[in-house]
Amino acid sequence: MSVEFSTWIDDRTIHTMSTNSGAEKLAFQKWRHFKESFTPELVARAIRESPSPVSRCVDPFGGSGTTALACQFLGVKPITVEVNPYLADLIEAKLAVYDTDLLAADLGRVLRRSRRLAKEAALVPPIEAPRTLVHPGVSGRWVFDSAVARRLGALLGAVASVDNPSRRLFRVLVGGILIDVSNVVVNGKGRRYRKNWQTRPRKAADVEELFTAAAKEAIQDIHRFADRACLEYTLLRGDAREETKNVEPCELAVFSPPYPNSFDYTDVYNLELWMLGYLKDRHGNRHLRQATLSSHVQIQRSYPPAPRGSATLRSTIESLQKARPKLWNRRIPDMVGGYFSDLASVLLSLGTALGTSGQVWLVVGDSRYSGVSIPVAGILEELAPDLGYRVVNIEPFRSMRASAQQGGMKELAESLLVLERA
């Protein structure tokens, strides 16, 4: 383990390697909180236990950038794929090299310009954005009060005037404060309105205050950890099912794919995607949803057929088909088959990049529908030989809580699956 990595994690205590929940937040992680992302310690373990020295490591589902950033600290070049444009920018903002003196000067210019624009700027979401984003909203509900929206418009206008890498950093930091100045809270499965939000409006002044604090902390993180062991990186923006075909040779893959829980994780980032201008219309929104893994049923799409080679998957889909009349969405059996087809496609592409002795470390979570369990690690274990892998280890991490309709009990397994090229 490198000195830089040890300094970064600072001997913190973690409850499980599969989540940062309950652990002390690290530098860079506060830019946008991801409670459910796996820990940097898992990446360090994978590199340490790899049968061959690791010079490059790939993550096809980049998310918050945990794998990529940890690799930089550990002296390994990260290769990251991310389809969500906001998350891709967030990852690159963390990995990039900056002149911190220029960042500080740019921050001052952004704040001064934002104050000049505050009286005249307005935040106007795209025409096809959800109408509930800004007051007056729909049916008495809206995410941002008018005064807050004006200040956000002024701040984003000021950020847009910056013509260097500072702009990307500042824009993702604005994304990091959106929830705090809104009338909603967000958890791992969507958003809900704050309690008594109508009588407890957000303060417009908080926009500048929170952004300033976030920017100063980010600049401090960047300055303190400017000498990471590796400053190189490759970021591929797009669908993991396609972009993994373009991955350069590497020795290791560490990632956690979306779970087959029928939830579209794009929803978690709706505010950032629309308010920061990543989405312009419904076509772009639909295209982004279709470019994600077949783990949800929120849009009409064609699911690829389930891969062969797993008796468990076959019997699981048969059970789901029998239970179809009771399922909350009749496409769930097709989604589950498509999910494993997509994962198989990603693993096949990674196999080409990993060569003959590379390993894949992936954290997966089970799901359940109408009493039918989806044992993801067990199914992938059965599919592995046909995909050119052998199973090195299956390690239970924790039990996750099922959905309310399934009783809400902590009974869904989250596991580490380690595969090695056969």
Side-chain angles (χ1 to χ4, degrees):
M1 187 180 299
S2 71
V3 173
E4 294 88 352
F5 184 83
S6 298
T7 302
W8 181 40
I9 63 171
D10 195 24
D11 296 323
R12 68 172 185 164
T13 299
I14 57 173
H15 300 291
T16 171
M17 287 192 176
S18 67
T19 176
N20 284 295
S21 180
E24 181 183 353
K25 294 179 183 178
L26 304 177
F28 300 95
Q29 288 185 343
K30 297 179 184 179
W31 295 11
R32 208 282 188 182
H33 182 50
F34 293 80
K35 182 179 71 172
E36 294 303 324
S37 60
F38 60 77
T39 65
E41 287 86 346
L42 177 64
V43 183
R45 176 185 163 189
I47 292 173
R48 182 174 64 249
E49 296 182 11
S50 171
S52 57
V54 179
S55 61
R56 298 184 185 90
C57 175
V58 60
D59 181 349
F61 302 97
S64 65
T66 296
T67 297
L69 191 60
C71 282
Q72 283 194 329
F73 276 105
L74 291 161
V76 172
K77 179 185 176 181
I79 305 161
T80 306
V81 180
E82 178 51 54
V83 67
N84 185 310
Y86 165 67
L87 294 181
D89 268 0
L90 177 62
I91 293 169
E92 188 153 23
K94 292 178 179 180
L95 302 180
V97 175
Y98 301 90
D99 178 337
T100 51
D101 289 335
L102 178 59
L103 280 178
D106 284 338
L107 174 60
R109 284 189 282 269
V110 164
L111 292 175
R112 289 191 295 272
R113 182 170 177 79
S114 176
R115 290 162 193 157
R116 289 197 300 270
L117 294 173
K119 294 182 179 180
E120 59 189 63
L123 181 58
V124 181
I127 294 175
E128 296 189 22
R131 292 171 55 204
T132 52
L133 285 180
V134 176
H135 179 271
V138 177
S139 302
R141 287 179 174 263
W142 59 88
V143 176
F144 295 100
D145 297 334
S146 297
V148 169
R150 283 195 297 271
R151 294 298 282 270
L152 283 171
L155 182 55
L156 288 169
V159 168
S161 69
V162 178
D163 189 23
N164 60 53
S166 300
R167 177 168 58 187
R168 179 180 55 228
L169 172 64
F170 292 151
R171 184 161 71 155
V172 299
L173 292 176
V174 174
I177 70 166
L178 287 179
I179 299 300
D180 292 331
V181 298
S182 76
N183 296 322
V184 300
V185 292
V186 174
N187 58 29
K189 290 197 172 184
R191 67 174 183 256
R192 58 180 172 81
Y193 281 85
R194 300 177 189 272
K195 186 177 180 179
N196 300 323
W197 65 273
Q198 298 96 330
T199 59
R200 301 171 61 186
R202 304 287 98 183
K203 298 178 181 177
D206 287 348
V207 172
E208 181 177 312
E209 182 178 333
L210 290 172
F211 171 75
T212 302
K216 288 181 177 179
E217 183 170 49
I219 294 171
Q220 289 174 354
D221 290 345
I222 291 166
H223 178 75
R224 182 184 178 194
F225 295 106
D227 295 325
R228 298 191 288 276
C230 174
L231 296 177
E232 292 184 88
Y233 65 90
T234 295
L235 178 62
L236 302 174
R237 298 168 180 261
D239 188 336
R241 295 167 296 186
E242 295 298 323
E243 293 300 332
T244 46
K245 299 174 183 176
N246 304 317
V247 169
E248 59 196 276
C250 53
E251 298 82 23
L252 180 66
V254 182
F255 62 94
S256 181
Y259 297 168
N261 52 15
S262 74
F263 179 73
D264 182 1
Y265 288 95
T266 305
D267 286 343
V268 176
Y269 309 104
N270 258 347
L271 296 188
E272 294 91 344
L273 290 169
W274 285 106
M275 302 299 281
L276 301 181
Y278 292 103
L279 290 179
K280 303 294 186 182
D281 52 38
R282 294 176 187 175
H283 174 75
N285 189 27
R286 181 176 180 80
H287 176 75
L288 177 58
R289 289 173 183 265
Q290 289 180 325
T292 59
L293 214 65
S294 298
S295 61
H296 56 88
V297 292
Q298 272 67 15
I299 61 168
Q300 188 69 37
R301 65 194 296 181
S302 296
Y303 297 104
R308 299 178 179 180
S310 169
T312 301
L313 177 58
R314 184 173 62 252
S315 63
T316 297
I317 292 178
E318 289 174 354
S319 297
L320 287 172
Q321 289 170 339
K322 292 178 182 177
R324 200 188 293 264
K326 298 184 294 183
L327 297 173
W328 67 271
N329 189 294
R330 295 178 62 85
R331 291 179 290 158
I332 286 174
D334 307 311
M335 178 207 78
V336 171
Y339 175 81
F340 286 100
S341 178
D342 285 351
L343 268 187
S345 173
V346 170
L347 287 169
L348 278 171
S349 295
L350 290 178
T352 301
L354 290 168
T356 57
S357 60
Q359 286 192 341
V360 174
W361 287 52
L362 64 160
V363 178
V364 295
D366 295 350
S367 294
R368 179 179 290 118
Y369 300 98
S370 294
V372 180
S373 296
I374 320 295
V376 177
I379 291 172
L380 290 175
E381 179 183 17
E382 293 177 0
L383 292 174
D386 287 346
L387 301 176
Y389 294 91
R390 68 177 186 87
V391 177
V392 175
N393 183 31
I394 298 180
E395 181 179 326
F397 269 163
R398 61 170 177 159
S399 293
M400 303 180 295
R401 194 175 299 280
S403 66
Q405 66 182 154
Q406 299 297 338
M409 301 296 290
K410 286 189 174 180
E411 51 190 12
L412 298 178
E414 188 174 59
S415 306
L416 168 67
L417 176 64
V418 180
L419 305 174
E420 188 170 275
R421 290 290 291 159

